[in-house]
Amino acid sequence: MTDQSDAARHAAHAYVDLLERRDWSGLAALLTDDVVYEMPQTRERVRGRDAFLRFNTEYPGDWHLRPRRVIADGRLAALLLDVRVGVEQQDACVWLEMSAQGLISKIIDYWPEPYDPPPGREHLVERW
Amino acid sequence: MTDQSDAARHAAHAYVDLLERRDWSGLAALLTDDVVYEMPQTRERVRGRDAFLRFNTEYPGDWHLRPRRVIADGRLAALLLDVRVGVEQQDACVWLEMSAQGLISKIIDYWPEPYDPPPGREHLVERW
């Protein structure tokens, strides 16, 4: 388990670092041929390394990624990212699955948006 | 690292299970006195075990939680939850931090909502 976790942790760090540096050949080397990328909020799925790389190279905006948490456990990893595009900031939750060969075989991205809290719990919370 | 990870994984599973069963005394025993619960999307924070338990006992709706992924790494854990309230379904991303004594000291919840995909990437994605 520990060796697998170490490999998954390393891949998760490399995934963010290579995206941030737009190192597309480095990123490609991390991925299985048939990697699947899913965005459950829009029910969108991208199949295959070539389409996933193109999705990223075509993604608009001067986006920047900084890992806030990287957690690895066997063949699974999770990343909490600080994402910035200009002055806009958003957190992203990313879930990775590794193949038996230590390549990333599945990526699930969540992009939670700010919203107004529902009324009725003001007595229990503080805002920041 | 492995012992800590095992303890964090156990606490993460117990956290969901005890919430689902509304076992408030069992849940209380998992938490530090000064546990902090944060919802970054609304910038809300609940401080302390008593307030956090009350937040949950007062939370409206017949909600049900099912863990889809539980990942633990040292003192950190991440959970991907399937949350249902009646026929409504939503995924939640939960990040846990453990104290040196193996209690949950911080909880960060993200509640990503569905949204429409932006135009311009239809050639790369399939929908489900």
Side-chain angles (χ1 to χ4, degrees), chain B residues 41-126:
Chain B
Q41 289 164 276
T42 56
R43 298 178 180 269
E44 287 174 294
R45 182 183 291 119
V46 178
R47 287 188 187 276
R49 181 167 50 196
D50 294 345
F52 177 68
L53 290 170
R54 194 164 160 202
F55 182 90
N56 280 285
T57 58
E58 293 183 5
Y59 203 91
D62 182 27
W63 45 268
H64 291 282
L65 311 176
R66 193 173 60 82
R68 290 173 49 199
R69 295 188 181 205
V70 177
I71 301 185
D73 192 352
R75 284 202 204 167
L76 298 177
L79 299 107
L80 177 54
L81 298 183
D82 178 328
V83 182
R84 290 174 195 262
V85 182
V87 297
E88 298 282 314
Q89 191 280 333
Q90 189 172 10
D91 294 341
C93 300
V94 181
W95 303 83
L96 302 180
E97 262 179 64
M98 313 296 298
S99 73
Q101 289 71 40
L103 297 174
I104 297 170
S105 58
K106 188 163 188 183
I107 303 157
I108 307 175
D109 263 17
Y110 290 92
W111 296 89
E113 295 269 1
Y115 62 90
D116 291 325
R121 60 199 197 193
E122 299 84 353
H123 56 301
L124 297 172
V125 305
E126 62 186 43

Coordinates of all heavy atoms in Angstrom, one line a residue, chain B residues 41-126:
Chain B
Q41 N -17.6 27.8 0.2 CA -18.5 28.4 -0.9 C -19.3 29.5 -0.3 O -19.7 30.4 -1.0 CB -19.3 27.3 -1.5 CG -18.6 26.4 -2.4 CD -19.4 25.1 -2.7 OE1 -19.4 24.2 -1.9 NE2 -20.0 25.1 -3.8
T42 N -19.7 29.3 1.0 CA -20.5 30.4 1.6 C -19.7 31.2 2.6 O -20.2 32.1 3.2 CB -21.7 29.8 2.4 OG1 -21.2 28.8 3.3 CG2 -22.7 29.1 1.5
R43 N -18.4 30.8 2.7 CA -17.6 31.5 3.7 C -18.2 31.4 5.1 O -18.2 32.4 5.9 CB -17.3 32.9 3.3 CG -16.5 33.0 2.0 CD -16.2 34.4 1.6 NE -15.5 34.5 0.3 CZ -14.2 34.5 0.1 NH1 -13.4 34.5 1.2 NH2 -13.6 34.5 -1.1
E44 N -18.7 30.3 5.5 CA -19.3 30.0 6.8 C -18.3 29.1 7.6 O -17.7 28.2 7.0 CB -20.6 29.3 6.7 CG -21.7 30.2 6.2 CD -23.0 29.4 6.1 OE1 -23.0 28.5 5.2 OE2 -24.0 29.6 6.8
R45 N -18.2 29.4 8.9 CA -17.4 28.6 9.8 C -18.2 28.3 11.1 O -18.8 29.2 11.6 CB -16.1 29.3 10.1 CG -15.1 28.6 11.0 CD -13.9 29.4 11.3 NE -13.1 29.6 10.2 CZ -12.8 30.8 9.6 NH1 -13.3 32.0 10.2 NH2 -12.0 31.0 8.6
V46 N -18.1 27.1 11.5 CA -18.7 26.7 12.8 C -17.6 26.3 13.7 O -16.7 25.5 13.3 CB -19.7 25.5 12.6 CG1 -20.3 25.1 14.0 CG2 -20.8 25.9 11.6
R47 N -17.6 26.8 14.9 CA -16.4 26.5 15.8 C -16.9 25.7 17.0 O -17.9 26.1 17.7 CB -15.9 27.9 16.4 CG -15.0 28.6 15.4 CD -14.4 29.8 16.1 NE -13.7 30.6 15.1 CZ -12.4 30.4 14.7 NH1 -11.8 29.4 15.1 NH2 -11.9 31.3 13.8
G48 N -16.3 24.6 17.3 CA -16.5 23.8 18.5 C -17.4 22.7 18.2 O -18.3 22.7 17.4
R49 N -17.2 21.6 19.0 CA -18.0 20.4 18.9 C -19.5 20.6 19.1 O -20.3 20.1 18.4 CB -17.4 19.3 19.8 CG -18.1 18.0 19.8 CD -17.3 17.0 20.5 NE -17.0 17.4 21.8 CZ -16.0 16.9 22.6 NH1 -15.3 15.9 22.2 NH2 -15.8 17.4 23.8
D50 N -19.8 21.4 20.1 CA -21.2 21.5 20.5 C -22.0 22.2 19.3 O -23.1 21.8 18.9 CB -21.4 22.3 21.8 CG -20.9 21.6 23.0 OD1 -20.7 20.3 22.8 OD2 -20.7 22.2 24.0
A51 N -21.4 23.3 18.8 CA -22.0 24.0 17.7 C -22.1 23.1 16.4 O -23.1 23.2 15.7 CB -21.3 25.3 17.4
F52 N -21.1 22.4 16.2 CA -21.1 21.5 15.0 C -22.2 20.4 15.1 O -22.9 20.1 14.2 CB -19.7 20.9 14.8 CG -19.7 19.9 13.6 CD1 -19.8 20.4 12.3 CD2 -19.6 18.5 13.8 CE1 -19.8 19.5 11.3 CE2 -19.6 17.7 12.8 CZ -19.7 18.1 11.5
L53 N -22.3 19.8 16.3 CA -23.4 18.8 16.5 C -24.8 19.5 16.3 O -25.6 18.9 15.7 CB -23.3 18.2 17.9 CG -22.0 17.3 18.0 CD1 -21.9 16.9 19.5 CD2 -22.2 16.0 17.2
R54 N -24.9 20.7 16.9 CA -26.2 21.3 16.7 C -26.5 21.7 15.3 O -27.6 21.6 14.8 CB -26.2 22.6 17.6 CG -27.6 23.2 17.8 CD -27.6 24.2 18.9 NE -28.8 25.0 18.7 CZ -29.0 26.2 19.3 NH1 -28.1 26.7 20.1 NH2 -30.1 26.8 19.0
F55 N -25.4 22.1 14.6 CA -25.6 22.4 13.1 C -26.2 21.2 12.4 O -27.1 21.3 11.6 CB -24.2 22.8 12.5 CG -24.3 23.1 11.1 CD1 -24.5 24.4 10.7 CD2 -24.1 22.2 10.1 CE1 -24.5 24.8 9.3 CE2 -24.1 22.5 8.8 CZ -24.3 23.8 8.4
N56 N -25.7 20.0 12.8 CA -26.1 18.8 12.1 C -27.5 18.3 12.6 O -28.3 17.9 11.7 CB -25.1 17.7 12.3 CG -23.9 17.8 11.3 OD1 -24.1 17.5 10.2 ND2 -22.8 18.3 11.9
T57 N -27.8 18.4 13.9 CA -29.1 18.0 14.3 C -30.2 18.9 13.8 O -31.3 18.5 13.6 CB -29.2 18.0 15.9 OG1 -28.9 19.3 16.4 CG2 -28.2 17.0 16.5
E58 N -29.8 20.2 13.6 CA -30.8 21.2 13.1 C -30.9 21.2 11.6 O -31.8 21.9 11.0 CB -30.5 22.6 13.6 CG -30.6 22.7 15.1 CD -30.3 24.2 15.6 OE1 -30.1 25.1 14.7 OE2 -30.3 24.4 16.8
Y59 N -30.0 20.5 10.9 CA -30.0 20.6 9.4 C -31.2 20.0 8.8 O -31.7 18.9 9.1 CB -28.7 19.8 8.9 CG -28.3 20.4 7.5 CD1 -27.4 21.4 7.4 CD2 -28.9 19.8 6.4 CE1 -27.1 21.9 6.1 CE2 -28.6 20.3 5.1 CZ -27.7 21.3 5.0 OH -27.3 21.8 3.8
P60 N -31.9 20.8 8.0 CA -33.2 20.3 7.5 C -33.1 19.2 6.5 O -32.1 19.0 5.8 CB -33.8 21.6 6.9 CG -32.6 22.4 6.5 CD -31.6 22.1 7.5
G61 N -34.2 18.5 6.4 CA -34.3 17.4 5.3 C -33.9 16.1 5.8 O -33.1 15.9 6.7
D62 N -34.4 15.1 5.1 CA -34.1 13.7 5.5 C -32.9 13.3 4.6 O -33.0 12.5 3.7 CB -35.3 12.8 5.2 CG -35.0 11.3 5.6 OD1 -34.1 11.1 6.5 OD2 -35.6 10.4 5.0
W63 N -31.7 13.8 5.0 CA -30.5 13.6 4.2 C -29.9 12.3 4.5 O -29.9 11.7 5.6 CB -29.5 14.7 4.4 CG -29.3 15.1 5.8 CD1 -30.0 16.1 6.5 CD2 -28.4 14.6 6.8 NE1 -29.5 16.2 7.8 CE2 -28.5 15.2 8.0 CE3 -27.4 13.5 6.7 CZ2 -27.8 14.9 9.1 CZ3 -26.6 13.2 7.8 CH2 -26.8 13.9 9.0
H64 N -29.3 11.7 3.4 CA -28.6 10.4 3.5 C -27.2 10.5 2.8 O -27.1 11.1 1.7 CB -29.4 9.3 2.9 CG -30.6 9.0 3.8 ND1 -30.6 8.3 5.0 CD2 -31.9 9.5 3.6 CE1 -31.8 8.3 5.5 NE2 -32.6 9.0 4.7
L65 N -26.2 9.9 3.4 CA -24.9 10.0 3.0 C -24.3 8.6 2.6 O -24.5 7.7 3.4 CB -24.0 10.6 4.1 CG -24.4 11.9 4.7 CD1 -23.5 12.2 5.9 CD2 -24.6 13.0 3.7
R66 N -23.6 8.5 1.5 CA -23.0 7.3 1.2 C -21.6 7.6 0.7 O -21.4 8.4 -0.3 CB -23.8 6.5 0.1 CG -23.4 5.1 -0.2 CD -24.4 4.4 -1.2 NE -24.4 5.1 -2.5 CZ -23.5 4.9 -3.4 NH1 -22.5 4.1 -3.2 NH2 -23.6 5.6 -4.6
P67 N -20.6 7.0 1.3 CA -19.2 7.3 0.8 C -18.9 6.6 -0.5 O -19.2 5.4 -0.7 CB -18.3 6.7 1.9 CG -19.1 5.7 2.6 CD -20.6 6.1 2.4
R68 N -18.4 7.4 -1.5 CA -18.0 6.8 -2.8 C -16.5 6.6 -2.8 O -16.0 5.7 -3.4 CB -18.5 7.7 -3.9 CG -20.0 7.6 -4.1 CD -20.6 8.6 -5.1 NE -19.8 8.5 -6.3 CZ -19.8 9.5 -7.2 NH1 -20.5 10.6 -7.1 NH2 -19.1 9.3 -8.3
R69 N -15.8 7.5 -2.2 CA -14.3 7.4 -2.0 C -13.9 7.9 -0.7 O -14.4 8.9 -0.2 CB -13.5 8.2 -3.1 CG -13.8 7.7 -4.5 CD -12.9 8.4 -5.5 NE -13.3 7.9 -6.8 CZ -12.5 7.8 -7.8 NH1 -11.2 8.3 -7.7 NH2 -12.8 7.4 -9.0
V70 N -13.0 7.1 0.0 CA -12.4 7.5 1.2 C -10.9 7.4 1.1 O -10.4 6.3 0.8 CB -12.9 6.6 2.4 CG1 -12.3 7.0 3.7 CG2 -14.5 6.8 2.5
I71 N -10.2 8.5 1.2 CA -8.8 8.5 1.0 C -8.1 9.1 2.2 O -8.5 10.1 2.7 CB -8.4 9.4 -0.2 CG1 -9.2 8.8 -1.5 CG2 -6.9 9.4 -0.5 CD1 -8.8 9.6 -2.7
A72 N -7.1 8.4 2.8 CA -6.4 8.8 4.0 C -4.9 8.8 3.8 O -4.4 7.9 3.2 CB -6.8 7.9 5.2
D73 N -4.3 9.8 4.3 CA -2.9 10.0 4.1 C -2.3 10.8 5.3 O -2.5 12.0 5.4 CB -2.7 10.8 2.8 CG -1.2 10.8 2.3 OD1 -0.3 10.3 3.0 OD2 -1.0 11.2 1.2
G74 N -1.7 10.1 6.2 CA -1.2 10.7 7.4 C -2.3 11.3 8.2 O -3.3 10.5 8.5
R75 N -2.3 12.5 8.6 CA -3.4 13.1 9.4 C -4.5 13.7 8.5 O -5.3 14.4 9.0 CB -2.8 14.2 10.3 CG -2.0 13.7 11.4 CD -2.0 14.7 12.5 NE -0.9 14.5 13.4 CZ -0.5 15.4 14.3 NH1 -1.1 16.6 14.3 NH2 0.6 15.2 15.1
L76 N -4.4 13.5 7.2 CA -5.5 14.1 6.3 C -6.3 13.0 5.7 O -5.8 11.9 5.5 CB -4.8 14.9 5.2 CG -4.0 16.1 5.6 CD1 -3.3 16.7 4.4 CD2 -4.8 17.1 6.4
A77 N -7.5 13.3 5.4 CA -8.4 12.4 4.7 C -9.3 13.2 3.8 O -9.5 14.4 4.0 CB -9.2 11.5 5.7
A78 N -9.8 12.6 2.8 CA -10.8 13.2 1.8 C -11.9 12.2 1.6 O -11.6 11.0 1.4 CB -10.1 13.6 0.6
L79 N -13.1 12.7 1.5 CA -14.2 11.8 1.2 C -15.0 12.4 0.1 O -15.3 13.6 0.0 CB -15.2 11.7 2.4 CG -14.7 11.1 3.7 CD1 -14.5 12.2 4.7 CD2 -15.6 10.1 4.2
L80 N -15.4 11.5 -0.9 CA -16.3 11.9 -1.9 C -17.6 11.2 -1.6 O -17.7 10.0 -1.5 CB -15.8 11.4 -3.3 CG -16.7 11.7 -4.5 CD1 -17.1 13.1 -4.6 CD2 -16.0 11.2 -5.8
L81 N -18.6 12.0 -1.3 CA -19.9 11.5 -0.8 C -21.0 11.6 -1.8 O -21.1 12.6 -2.6 CB -20.4 12.3 0.5 CG -19.4 12.3 1.7 CD1 -20.1 13.0 2.8 CD2 -19.1 10.8 2.1
D82 N -21.9 10.6 -1.8 CA -23.1 10.7 -2.6 C -24.2 11.1 -1.5 O -24.4 10.4 -0.6 CB -23.4 9.3 -3.1 CG -24.7 9.2 -3.9 OD1 -25.7 9.9 -3.5 OD2 -24.8 8.4 -4.8
V83 N -24.8 12.3 -1.7 CA -25.7 12.8 -0.7 C -27.1 12.8 -1.4 O -27.3 13.3 -2.5 CB -25.3 14.3 -0.3 CG1 -26.3 14.8 0.7 CG2 -23.9 14.3 0.2
R84 N -28.1 12.3 -0.7 CA -29.4 12.3 -1.2 C -30.4 12.9 -0.2 O -30.3 12.6 1.0 CB -29.9 10.9 -1.6 CG -29.1 10.4 -2.8 CD -29.4 9.0 -3.2 NE -28.3 8.5 -4.1 CZ -28.5 8.5 -5.4 NH1 -29.6 8.8 -6.0 NH2 -27.5 8.1 -6.2
V85 N -31.3 13.7 -0.7 CA -32.4 14.2 0.1 C -33.7 14.0 -0.7 O -33.9 14.7 -1.7 CB -32.3 15.7 0.5 CG1 -33.4 16.2 1.4 CG2 -30.9 16.0 1.1
G86 N -34.4 13.0 -0.3 CA -35.5 12.6 -1.2 C -35.0 12.1 -2.6 O -34.1 11.3 -2.6
V87 N -35.6 12.7 -3.6 CA -35.1 12.3 -5.0 C -33.9 13.2 -5.4 O -33.4 13.0 -6.5 CB -36.2 12.5 -6.0 CG1 -37.4 11.5 -5.7 CG2 -36.8 13.9 -6.1
E88 N -33.5 14.2 -4.6 CA -32.4 15.1 -5.0 C -31.1 14.4 -4.7 O -30.9 13.8 -3.6 CB -32.5 16.4 -4.2 CG -33.7 17.2 -4.4 CD -33.6 18.0 -5.7 OE1 -32.6 18.6 -6.0 OE2 -34.6 18.0 -6.5
Q89 N -30.2 14.5 -5.6 CA -28.8 13.9 -5.4 C -27.8 14.9 -5.7 O -27.9 15.8 -6.6 CB -28.6 12.7 -6.4 CG -27.4 11.8 -6.1 CD -26.1 12.4 -6.6 OE1 -26.1 13.2 -7.6 NE2 -25.0 12.1 -5.9
Q90 N -26.8 14.9 -4.8 CA -25.6 15.8 -5.0 C -24.4 15.1 -4.5 O -24.4 14.3 -3.5 CB -25.9 17.1 -4.2 CG -24.9 18.2 -4.5 CD -25.2 19.6 -3.9 OE1 -26.1 19.7 -3.0 NE2 -24.5 20.6 -4.2
D91 N -23.3 15.4 -5.1 CA -22.0 14.9 -4.6 C -21.4 16.0 -3.6 O -21.6 17.2 -3.8 CB -21.0 14.7 -5.7 CG -21.4 13.6 -6.7 OD1 -22.2 12.8 -6.3 OD2 -20.8 13.5 -7.8
A92 N -20.7 15.5 -2.6 CA -20.0 16.5 -1.7 C -18.5 16.0 -1.6 O -18.2 14.8 -1.6 CB -20.6 16.5 -0.3
C93 N -17.6 17.0 -1.5 CA -16.2 16.7 -1.3 C -15.9 17.2 0.1 O -16.1 18.4 0.4 CB -15.4 17.5 -2.3 SG -15.7 17.0 -4.0
V94 N -15.4 16.3 0.9 CA -15.1 16.6 2.4 C -13.7 16.4 2.7 O -13.1 15.3 2.3 CB -16.0 15.7 3.3 CG1 -15.8 16.0 4.7 CG2 -17.5 15.9 2.9
W95 N -13.0 17.3 3.3 CA -11.6 17.2 3.7 C -11.5 17.2 5.2 O -12.0 18.1 5.8 CB -10.8 18.4 3.1 CG -11.0 18.5 1.6 CD1 -12.0 19.0 0.9 CD2 -10.1 17.9 0.6 NE1 -11.9 18.9 -0.5 CE2 -10.7 18.2 -0.7 CE3 -8.9 17.2 0.6 CZ2 -10.1 17.8 -1.9 CZ3 -8.3 16.8 -0.5 CH2 -8.9 17.1 -1.8
L96 N -10.8 16.2 5.7 CA -10.7 16.1 7.2 C -9.2 16.3 7.6 O -8.3 15.9 6.9 CB -11.2 14.7 7.7 CG -12.6 14.3 7.4 CD1 -12.9 12.9 7.9 CD2 -13.6 15.3 7.9
E97 N -9.1 16.9 8.8 CA -7.8 16.9 9.4 C -7.9 16.3 10.8 O -8.9 16.5 11.5 CB -7.4 18.4 9.7 CG -6.4 19.0 8.6 CD -6.1 20.4 8.9 OE1 -5.5 20.7 10.0 OE2 -6.5 21.3 8.1
M98 N -6.9 15.5 11.2 CA -6.9 14.8 12.4 C -5.9 15.5 13.4 O -4.8 16.0 13.0 CB -6.4 13.4 12.3 CG -7.1 12.6 11.1 SD -8.9 12.4 11.3 CE -8.9 11.4 12.8
S99 N -6.3 15.4 14.7 CA -5.3 15.9 15.7 C -4.3 14.8 16.0 O -4.4 13.7 15.5 CB -6.1 16.1 17.0 OG -6.5 14.9 17.6
A100 N -3.3 15.1 16.8 CA -2.2 14.2 17.1 C -2.8 13.0 17.9 O -2.3 11.9 17.9 CB -1.1 14.8 18.0
Q101 N -4.0 13.2 18.5 CA -4.6 12.2 19.3 C -5.6 11.3 18.5 O -6.3 10.5 19.0 CB -5.4 12.8 20.5 CG -4.5 13.3 21.6 CD -3.8 14.6 21.2 OE1 -4.4 15.5 20.6 NE2 -2.5 14.7 21.6
G102 N -5.7 11.6 17.2 CA -6.5 10.8 16.3 C -8.0 11.3 16.2 O -8.8 10.5 15.8
L103 N -8.2 12.5 16.7 CA -9.6 13.0 16.6 C -9.7 14.0 15.5 O -8.7 14.6 15.1 CB -10.0 13.7 17.9 CG -10.0 12.8 19.2 CD1 -10.3 13.7 20.4 CD2 -11.1 11.7 19.0
I104 N -10.9 14.1 14.9 CA -11.1 15.1 13.8 C -11.1 16.5 14.3 O -11.9 16.9 15.2 CB -12.4 14.8 13.1 CG1 -12.4 13.3 12.5 CG2 -12.7 15.8 12.0 CD1 -13.7 12.9 11.9
S105 N -10.2 17.3 13.8 CA -10.0 18.7 14.3 C -10.5 19.7 13.3 O -10.7 20.9 13.7 CB -8.6 18.9 14.7 OG -7.7 18.7 13.6
K106 N -10.6 19.3 12.0 CA -11.1 20.3 11.0 C -11.8 19.5 9.9 O -11.4 18.4 9.5 CB -9.9 21.0 10.4 CG -10.4 22.2 9.5 CD -9.3 23.2 9.2 CE -9.9 24.4 8.5 NZ -8.9 25.3 8.1
I107 N -12.9 20.1 9.5 CA -13.8 19.6 8.4 C -14.0 20.7 7.4 O -14.4 21.8 7.8 CB -15.1 19.1 9.0 CG1 -14.9 18.0 10.1 CG2 -16.0 18.5 7.9 CD1 -16.1 17.9 11.1
I108 N -13.7 20.4 6.2 CA -14.0 21.4 5.1 C -15.0 20.7 4.1 O -14.6 19.7 3.6 CB -12.7 21.9 4.4 CG1 -11.7 22.4 5.4 CG2 -13.1 23.0 3.4 CD1 -10.4 22.7 4.8
D109 N -16.1 21.3 3.9 CA -17.1 20.7 3.0 C -17.3 21.6 1.8 O -17.5 22.8 1.9 CB -18.5 20.8 3.7 CG -18.9 19.5 4.4 OD1 -18.0 18.6 4.6 OD2 -20.1 19.3 4.7
Y110 N -17.3 20.9 0.6 CA -17.7 21.6 -0.6 C -18.9 20.9 -1.2 O -19.0 19.7 -1.2 CB -16.5 21.4 -1.7 CG -15.3 22.2 -1.3 CD1 -14.3 21.7 -0.6 CD2 -15.2 23.6 -1.8 CE1 -13.1 22.5 -0.3 CE2 -14.1 24.3 -1.5 CZ -13.1 23.8 -0.8 OH -11.9 24.5 -0.5
W111 N -19.8 21.7 -1.7 CA -21.1 21.2 -2.2 C -21.2 21.7 -3.7 O -21.9 22.7 -3.9 CB -22.3 21.8 -1.4 CG -22.2 21.2 0.0 CD1 -21.6 21.8 1.1 CD2 -22.8 20.0 0.5 NE1 -21.8 21.0 2.2 CE2 -22.5 19.9 1.9 CE3 -23.6 19.0 -0.1 CZ2 -23.0 18.9 2.6 CZ3 -24.1 18.0 0.7 CH2 -23.7 17.9 2.0
P112 N -20.5 21.0 -4.6 CA -20.6 21.5 -6.0 C -21.9 21.3 -6.6 O -22.5 20.2 -6.5 CB -19.5 20.7 -6.7 CG -19.2 19.5 -5.8 CD -19.7 19.9 -4.4
E113 N -22.5 22.3 -7.3 CA -23.8 22.3 -7.9 C -23.7 22.0 -9.4 O -22.7 22.4 -10.0 CB -24.4 23.7 -7.7 CG -24.7 24.1 -6.3 CD -26.1 23.7 -5.9 OE1 -26.8 23.0 -6.7 OE2 -26.5 23.9 -4.7
P114 N -24.7 21.4 -10.0 CA -24.7 21.3 -11.4 C -24.7 22.6 -12.1 O -25.2 23.6 -11.6 CB -26.0 20.5 -11.7 CG -26.4 19.9 -10.4 CD -25.9 20.8 -9.4
Y115 N -24.1 22.7 -13.3 CA -24.2 23.9 -14.1 C -24.1 23.5 -15.6 O -23.7 22.4 -15.9 CB -23.1 25.0 -13.7 CG -21.7 24.5 -13.9 CD1 -21.0 24.7 -15.1 CD2 -21.0 23.9 -12.8 CE1 -19.7 24.4 -15.2 CE2 -19.7 23.5 -13.0 CZ -19.0 23.7 -14.2 OH -17.7 23.4 -14.3
D116 N -24.4 24.5 -16.5 CA -24.3 24.2 -17.9 C -22.9 24.4 -18.4 O -22.2 25.3 -18.0 CB -25.3 25.2 -18.7 CG -26.7 24.9 -18.4 OD1 -27.1 23.7 -18.2 OD2 -27.5 25.8 -18.3
P117 N -22.4 23.5 -19.2 CA -21.1 23.6 -19.7 C -20.9 24.8 -20.6 O -21.9 25.2 -21.3 CB -20.8 22.3 -20.5 CG -22.2 21.8 -20.8 CD -23.1 22.3 -19.8
P118 N -19.8 25.5 -20.6 CA -19.6 26.6 -21.5 C -19.5 26.1 -22.9 O -19.1 24.9 -23.2 CB -18.2 27.2 -21.0 CG -17.5 26.1 -20.3 CD -18.6 25.2 -19.8
P119 N -19.8 26.9 -23.9 CA -19.7 26.5 -25.3 C -18.2 26.4 -25.7 O -17.4 27.0 -25.1 CB -20.4 27.6 -26.1 CG -20.3 28.8 -25.2 CD -20.3 28.3 -23.8
G120 N -18.0 25.7 -26.8 CA -16.7 25.7 -27.4 C -15.9 24.4 -27.2 O -14.7 24.3 -27.7
R121 N -16.4 23.5 -26.4 CA -15.6 22.3 -26.2 C -16.4 21.0 -26.6 O -16.1 19.9 -26.2 CB -15.1 22.2 -24.8 CG -16.1 22.2 -23.7 CD -15.5 22.6 -22.4 NE -16.3 22.3 -21.2 CZ -16.1 22.7 -20.0 NH1 -15.1 23.6 -19.7 NH2 -16.8 22.4 -18.9
E122 N -17.5 21.2 -27.3 CA -18.4 20.1 -27.7 C -17.6 19.0 -28.5 O -18.0 17.9 -28.5 CB -19.6 20.6 -28.5 CG -20.5 21.6 -27.8 CD -20.0 23.0 -27.9 OE1 -18.8 23.3 -28.4 OE2 -20.7 23.9 -27.4
H123 N -16.6 19.5 -29.2 CA -15.8 18.5 -30.1 C -15.0 17.6 -29.3 O -14.4 16.6 -29.8 CB -15.0 19.3 -31.1 CG -14.0 20.3 -30.5 ND1 -14.4 21.3 -29.6 CD2 -12.7 20.3 -30.5 CE1 -13.4 22.0 -29.2 NE2 -12.3 21.4 -29.7
L124 N -14.8 17.9 -28.0 CA -13.9 17.1 -27.1 C -14.7 16.2 -26.1 O -14.1 15.3 -25.5 CB -12.9 18.0 -26.4 CG -12.0 18.7 -27.3 CD1 -11.1 19.7 -26.5 CD2 -11.0 17.8 -28.1
V125 N -15.9 16.6 -25.8 CA -16.6 15.9 -24.7 C -17.8 15.1 -25.1 O -18.4 15.4 -26.2 CB -17.0 17.0 -23.6 CG1 -15.9 17.8 -23.2 CG2 -18.2 17.8 -24.2
E126 N -18.2 14.2 -24.3 CA -19.5 13.5 -24.4 C -20.3 13.9 -23.2 O -19.7 14.2 -22.1 CB -19.3 12.0 -24.6 CG -18.7 11.3 -23.3 CD -18.4 9.9 -23.5 OE1 -17.9 9.5 -24.6 OE2 -18.6 9.1 -22.6

